[in-house]
Amino acid sequence: MTKVAVTGTQYCGKTMFLTSLLWQLEELDETRFHLPDGVAVRGFHPQNVREHDEVFPLNRFRNVLAREYKWPQKTKDTYHARYGFHHSGRWRIRSRQTVEFLDLPGERIADVAMVIHKDYDEWSDHLLDHLSQDTFGREVAAQFRTAAAKPGASARDVVLAYRLALARLILAYKPLVSPSVFFLDRTGDLARDEDETKLAESRRCGLDEEREFAPLPRDVRDANPELADGMQRHYREYRREVVLPLFRHLMSAQSLVVLIDIPSLLMAGDQRFWDERQIVVDLLRAMCSDTNSARILRTLRLKSALKRVSFVASKSDLVLEDDLREGRLLALLRSMNTRAAQQIWPSVEVKWFTCSACVSTRPGSRPNTLIGQTQPGPYTSERYSAEVQVSRLPEEWPQAWKLGDFRYRHFWPRVPENFMIPPRHRNLDDIFKFAVLG
């Protein structure tokens, strides 16, 4: 069996990617989903997943797209989709094959540094150092450090200060929020945009109110070892109960698909860029680093299985045709993730793709414009279509940029109501060939 993990931070398009891919394969039409000459895939049908594993709700997501004309709800749990099919290649007879796809909540990926760092002190230093990489993060980290170092500060005081720091990160659209249960709690409740004080009061940064923790600066740990010991204990419990069970699935995948939403990164300013880049670096380091792999695999009781990594620039229908044709989207994907790719073992094959799981735009009549639906509505209706100007992609990542420097638009899906006809896509077939067929 081949296990494929679809990963990425929140709102990068993982659920839509997997929905469209499975839809294409169930309703396989080789005029829309191209396979190499001499390769055939037949009889693609679902199989039962293991007990206690949550089944990927393909039919529910299809209904949302084709009947409600909305994007599927974001993933709040780890979904499993297992399928059997017959696969024949040019040099072999038809054979039976099984593939299992994993769709993980994007918020949980922010905890990947806890897989790398079993030790609480290492995690604290790693996280606080990363927060200081951009101007906004430095300000948030400095305010938290000051509160944590205040004479007589209790564990409660430190936790409240860290909650406020995490609330500020969320409201600034920064994805590296760890522990991730502050953003997405264990019941699937997502932190909502609101006043930072109310957000800090309503969320928890640990397994429960009695077991919250925060990263402590080294000088605070040295000055208050009792406080540090309590934080370390709660960190280890959280790592054991939340982080390792989730990443156990990820670590056993033979194929990893990493989705990156480049238009959103450009729109949000560079502070989100640094978080997303670090999360992907940590993810590949956790799966492949020689320094940490022995410790991780001992903890998880797994053997390394990774064979292929696909880096994918998702939502390619939100950028101009010229940017795709001239390779700017692909170039931005590669340059952003060069450091992450360097973490991968030489034996693992790596490929780079641009992709749209559901092409919902078309070129406009004016320069630098796209046409798409600005409100949900039936596929045959033009009443909500609008021609919107979007930014050209830069030739390379800017040295610095801020919110508003780049403009893109998130349109509503254009999906046929007839379930027999999957959404139009770009390059899902190429990713499937590499990630699954090898």
Side-chain angles (χ1 to χ4, degrees):
M1 183 182 73
T2 300
K3 185 180 289 188
V4 181
V6 181
T7 65
T9 58
Q10 63 267 31
Y11 302 111
C12 67
K14 298 183 299 298
T15 301
M16 185 63 222
F17 175 91
L18 192 50
T19 298
S20 184
L21 177 60
L22 297 178
W23 197 345
Q24 307 289 338
L25 290 164
E26 284 195 0
E27 303 290 346
L28 188 61
D29 182 341
E30 292 181 9
T31 64
R32 295 190 300 259
F33 196 87
H34 303 286
L35 295 169
D37 291 341
V39 173
V41 171
R42 296 288 184 270
F44 195 85
H45 68 277
Q47 295 181 343
N48 292 330
V49 301
R50 288 175 295 271
E51 189 178 2
H52 306 306
D53 286 347
E54 190 76 19
V55 179
F56 185 81
L58 177 61
N59 289 333
R60 173 157 61 88
F61 291 152
R62 272 196 291 222
N63 269 293
V64 169
L65 285 160
R67 303 286 187 260
E68 300 178 26
Y69 322 112
K70 298 178 182 179
W71 297 110
Q73 290 183 331
K74 70 174 306 302
T75 300
K76 296 183 179 180
D77 198 354
T78 300
Y79 287 131
H80 300 253
R82 182 178 291 191
Y83 280 77
F85 62 95
H86 291 286
H87 170 218
S88 62
R90 181 177 298 173
W91 305 112
R92 67 188 206 181
I93 61 174
R94 189 178 300 275
S95 64
R96 190 73 182 155
Q97 190 166 339
T98 303
V99 60
E100 181 174 354
F101 294 95
L102 306 177
D103 179 17
L104 290 82
E107 291 78 11
R108 292 284 181 261
I109 304 299
D111 286 336
V112 68
M114 296 187 188
V115 181
I116 301 170
H117 301 295
K118 181 178 180 180
D119 183 74
Y120 164 78
D121 292 353
E122 292 179 1
W123 173 78
S124 293
D125 293 341
H126 173 84
L127 192 62
L128 293 174
D129 286 348
H130 170 75
L131 278 179
S132 300
Q133 285 191 16
D134 64 84
T135 303
F136 181 81
R138 278 194 296 276
E139 179 183 334
V140 171
Q143 291 171 345
F144 170 69
R145 287 175 185 270
T146 299
K150 188 176 180 179
S154 65
R156 180 70 175 169
D157 296 330
V158 173
V159 163
L160 290 176
Y162 189 58
R163 281 195 211 164
L164 186 59
L166 293 180
R168 289 170 176 163
L169 296 178
I170 290 174
L171 296 178
Y173 304 105
K174 289 175 70 65
L176 209 163
V177 175
S178 185
S180 65
V181 292
F182 187 88
F183 205 158
L184 178 70
D185 70 20
R186 301 181 76 182
T187 68
D189 181 45
L190 189 67
R192 307 297 176 185
D193 289 355
E194 53 183 308
D195 175 78
E196 63 183 32
T197 302
K198 293 180 180 178
L199 191 56
E201 291 173 351
S202 64
R203 311 298 292 184
R204 300 292 176 265
C205 52
L207 292 173
D208 51 46
E209 193 165 6
E210 302 301 320
R211 292 183 287 176
E212 294 185 273
F213 63 95
L216 289 175
R218 183 179 299 276
D219 57 340
V220 177
R221 299 196 304 265
D222 292 342
N224 196 338
E226 184 177 349
L227 174 64
D229 287 345
M231 295 289 181
Q232 182 177 63
R233 183 170 62 255
H234 297 160
Y235 170 83
R236 288 175 175 173
E237 291 172 349
Y238 177 86
R239 182 177 182 270
R240 182 177 64 251
E241 293 186 29
V242 175
V243 179
L244 295 186
L246 179 80
F247 283 94
R248 180 177 292 112
H249 294 299
L250 188 61
M251 295 296 179
S252 62
Q254 289 86 19
S255 188
L256 185 67
V257 178
V258 183
L259 299 185
I260 308 291
D261 179 3
I262 288 177
S264 290
L265 292 179
L266 288 168
M267 282 194 296
D270 58 2
Q271 60 196 33
R272 178 174 173 180
F273 171 87
W274 292 115
D275 273 16
E276 186 130 355
R277 184 173 183 262
Q278 186 64 53
I279 288 171
V280 177
V281 169
D282 286 346
L283 174 64
L284 272 302
R285 184 183 171 203
M287 297 191 73
C288 295
S289 171
D290 289 334
T291 303
N292 296 290
S293 60
R295 183 175 62 194
I296 295 166
L297 297 177
R298 273 201 310 273
T299 302
L300 301 177
R301 293 181 174 86
L302 295 171
K303 295 181 179 179
S304 170
L306 190 63
K307 296 180 180 178
R308 293 178 290 277
V309 175
S310 309
F311 287 99
V312 179
S314 60
K315 305 182 184 179
S316 69
D317 60 326
L318 302 186
V319 305
L320 300 168
E321 294 283 345
D322 286 350
D323 288 329
L324 289 175
R325 185 168 49 252
E326 296 170 16
R328 279 186 282 273
L329 184 62
L330 191 64
L332 292 176
L333 175 73
R334 294 183 70 111
S335 62
M336 172 185 173
N337 293 287
T338 296
R339 184 180 169 207
Q342 290 171 349
Q343 312 299 315
I344 302 172
W345 288 314
S347 60
V348 176
E349 191 175 359
V350 178
K351 281 196 175 181
W352 309 80
F353 302 90
T354 62
C355 168
S356 178
C358 176
V359 177
S360 296
T361 66
R362 65 182 188 273
S365 59
R366 295 178 287 117
N368 299 340
T369 61
L370 295 172
I371 296 174
Q373 288 191 205
T374 56
Q375 297 181 46
Y379 179 74
T380 55
S381 173
E382 293 296 332
R383 57 196 165 119
Y384 297 129
S385 291
E387 187 169 358
V388 178
Q389 189 158 16
V390 300
S391 301
R392 292 181 63 85
L393 290 179
E395 296 290 341
E396 58 186 23
W397 289 100
Q399 294 186 17
W401 72 100
K402 61 183 182 299
L403 184 70
D405 285 352
F406 293 91
R407 291 178 175 269
Y408 300 94
R409 180 65 180 266
H410 291 291
F411 297 96
W412 291 95
R414 296 293 298 268
V415 176
E417 293 186 23
N418 185 347
F419 277 6
M420 190 181 74
I421 307 173
R424 288 193 304 129
H425 72 92
R426 287 177 182 156
N427 297 336
L428 283 179
D429 39 14
D430 289 336
I431 298 168
F432 173 78
K433 284 181 287 190
F434 175 69
V436 178
L437 303 183

